[in-house]
Amino acid sequence: AEELRQAAAVRLNGLVRKFLGATRTAHRREEVRLWHLARHNAATVIQRKIKAKLQRRLYLRKKEEKRRRRLALERAARVVQRWWGIACGRMAASMSAAELRRAMARRDRATRVIQRVYRGFLGREAFRARKWEFAMETAAATKIQALFRSSRVLYWRNIRMNKIAAFVFRRSEIEYNARIHDVEGYLEARHEEKEHDSASDEEEELGDPNFQWEEMFDEDTGEAYWYNKATGETRAAPPEEPDWFEQTLVSKHVRIYWPMQDQYYDGMITRYNRTKRRHRVEYQDGDHEWINLGAEKNRVQLYNGQAWVEYDQYETPELLAKREAARDLKMRQRVTKEIFDERRSWMPLAPIERDDAVLVRWVHKDTGEMKIGHEDFDKWEEGTDRDGVLYWRHAETGTTVAAPEDDPRWDTSGGDPRAQAKRRMAILQDVRYYCYIIRGLLERYIEEQEKYTAVANAVEHGGDPKTLPNAERDLREALDALRGNQSIKGLQATVAAAREEYTENEYQKNEELVYASQLLEQAQQVEKFALQRQWEREQSRRQMVDAAHANRKSATITCRYCQHEIPRTSNLCPSCGKKVVALD
């Protein structure tokens, strides 16, 4: 064991020394490399500085030599000129007038020859310099072009990608042209369909092929039901056709907006074609048109007896009745589910005898509430219709009672206070829910109204008029949200139920019910104001359009801001300074 330990220690010492030696060697190599690198960098810096110094010294020496040469030439020229002037003066003094003239003429000719030769020399030197510069520029441009062209040469991968991209672009162009062709064909077919009266009287009007309901009689329950032969569906309530709403629009007043004329045209709906789903509109000017009101709803308005409303917001009495029936059915189904869920909490007790009759008793296992059955408890039969609504039928009299009416098998003449408290609690819960929704809508309307008033005042005092349409749009959206919400009708029905449940004194003492009445009154006033505002806006727009059409042929137009007459060719009103657009 001692030898093994010594051998292991020797082996470990060897590995450690090897690791330390390798580490020191690596560090030394790195130091040597960094020393050589620093030496190389220092040598490079020194060489660069020495070369720069030598170049500066050479440049200064050549500059000094050039300056000295120029000074020597200038001194020599001055000496030559001085001696030449002296010689010319001596010669002129020794000559007569005729000889002086001849000498001056020779001098002028010689001067012109010297100037011509010198100018030719300067021109040749300038041409040589320009030729050399042009040759250098040409060579540099040629070199740059060669480098640029070599850099533009694509690798084979780029060439392949370009080919793929060209194919994709060509395919996209072909698909785009195909779509354009399809669209042109569709537009041409639609134009031909418009030209042809596709909903004429001769065409046969076919309804929905799946709307094949037949009334049948159930012998077990003794009630009638409706059976669909196409789908195999059964219903307890009479089914309604898919386009019943469109059929109720017949004989309604309508007006259609024509964009090219920028005007609404009034008319009346006289017929409806079920096959083409189009209405026949008879205009007041004698013309008629078959039009799909649902597809053209953005330019369709209907008269509801009080004002013109958009197609999406139009509600007929039949539509309101359908919605009320749907809500009633949904409520009865909900009550049925609540009855079945609550029945699990009731436990039967031992029956009691009263006036020679055995009465059934049930007790609620959570609240302890007790219910006592009528004498004819066993004669009532319980069941559900085909809509899933719970009902009770008397076996002898045939009387039928359906949810949400109270279960006729139980005796409620005692006026159970727990049931009354439960009804009142349900009423208060509905009141709180509807008040929460309506209060939020009213707060939004009040906020948008204050914002619109502030923007309008700012515009009157020179503010940006572009912000006014946005504020008006937000206010209109708040009004539409309040007017189109069903919570107002729900709160109205709940308040009516509360007045039946509570006495007048109890009703006035309940702060939540009083607040609900005040909130309902305020919401109804705002809703009425929204209808009035919409009617006024439509009347104002109609008057504006009529005035614009009346002024088309006149030389003047009316400014829609200050109502002053201005020349038709003017773009700005001289009274208010606003931009005026003539509707042609």
Side-chain angles (χ1 to χ4, degrees), residues 249 251-255 267-269 284 301-303 308:
L249 297 180
S251 72
K252 303 295 183 182
H253 291 279
V254 65
R255 63 178 185 178
M268 178 177 289
I269 302 175
Q284 293 181 356
Q301 291 185 355
L302 297 166
Y303 190 72
W308 292 99

Side-chain angles (χ1 to χ4, degrees), residues 272-289:
Y272 174 69
N273 187 289
R274 297 171 59 187
T275 304
K276 302 296 183 179
R277 301 184 65 85
R278 294 185 179 183
H279 292 82
R280 180 185 175 95
V281 179
E282 297 285 349
Y283 292 102
Q284 293 181 356
D285 56 2
D287 194 7
H288 77 278
E289 178 186 14

